[in-house]
Amino acid sequence: MGLSGCGTQSVSREEAASPAAGEEAALACDPEPEGALARVEDAPCPWALVPEGEGLRLRSRAPGGASLEVIPPEVCAPASRCRYEGVASALGPILLAIVDGPESEVPVDLWLGAALGGERLVFAELWWGPASVIDRTEVGPAHTLAPAICEGRLVLRPEGRLPEAESSPPAELLAQSGVYEVEGDALVRRAPAGDASRCEALDLGLP
């Protein structure tokens, strides 16, 4: 005996294969703005770094998504002096401000930016100490401050980046190691770095 049609509905193969309207809306990201300076991949939609007036703003391309005022390092003025790269993290979007040398695209300075839950994305310098020279090209210092997330906080610690980093990091770099928080227009060291075993390194592809 066949089943009655009570409470049943015929669904075509095409309808069954297509996503619901709500799912389609969730997947629709705003188009990338013209003149975007950087893209930060994130779910469900990426972020775009765009000029705004005399400053910068990082905008989520999710419909009605958040946006962050970006306060670039002073060394990036004029804006054309720096290029930007970014990643998404558990602390929100992270930006690198990369200062290229005057005679090559090899970076000579590097800054890390984060908002840490606030409405402004601000920066801390990652490179301290004298610059190294390879093949007569300045390539930045032998050590860097490497970022990690430690129990929900941003921590920067010294790490070698060039062969001559076998020597100890400079004292000025060691003094900058610690927990960082947003204060005014900058990321500022607020406490010692603590136990590294409770940290997850941020993979930013540092130069």
Side-chain angles (χ1 to χ4, degrees):
M1 179 177 177
L3 294 174
S4 71
C6 180
T8 65
Q9 181 177 354
S10 175
V11 179
S12 70
R13 182 176 302 175
E14 290 77 9
E15 290 174 325
S18 63
E23 292 176 353
E24 287 183 345
L27 295 174
C29 300
D30 292 339
E32 184 164 317
E34 291 186 11
L37 303 176
R39 173 190 178 108
V40 179
E41 297 295 345
D42 200 1
C45 295
W47 298 72
L49 179 66
V50 295
E52 183 176 85
E54 297 183 357
L56 299 173
R57 185 164 286 272
L58 189 63
R59 296 185 179 277
S60 170
R61 286 171 51 196
S67 70
L68 300 168
E69 180 184 6
V70 177
I71 310 297
E74 290 185 6
V75 70
C76 291
S80 59
R81 188 169 182 207
C82 287
R83 57 187 170 91
Y84 297 89
E85 297 178 2
V87 300
S89 79
L91 299 177
I94 302 288
L95 284 180
L96 288 178
I98 304 166
V99 185
D100 290 328
E103 299 177 358
S104 72
E105 292 185 357
V106 178
V108 295
D109 203 1
L110 188 67
W111 295 69
L112 178 138
L116 304 181
E119 296 180 353
R120 308 173 87 204
L121 190 145
V122 296
F123 288 81
E125 191 170 10
L126 297 185
W127 285 2
W128 296 76
S132 297
V133 176
I134 297 177
D135 295 333
R136 288 188 261 183
T137 300
E138 185 178 322
V139 294
H143 294 84
T144 184
L145 287 175
I149 299 176
C150 306
E151 299 181 305
R153 307 182 79 180
L154 175 64
V155 172
L156 304 180
R157 281 191 178 84
E159 183 177 279
R161 56 175 293 268
L162 296 175
E164 54 264 46
E166 294 178 1
S167 59
S168 298
E172 58 185 335
L173 183 69
L174 292 171
Q176 300 302 318
S177 176
V179 177
Y180 277 70
E181 297 178 355
V182 174
E183 181 179 299
D185 290 347
L187 286 173
V188 177
R189 181 187 181 276
R190 277 288 168 230
D195 184 2
S197 67
R198 300 183 178 181
C199 299
E200 180 179 353
L202 275 170
D203 185 9
L204 301 178
L206 297 177

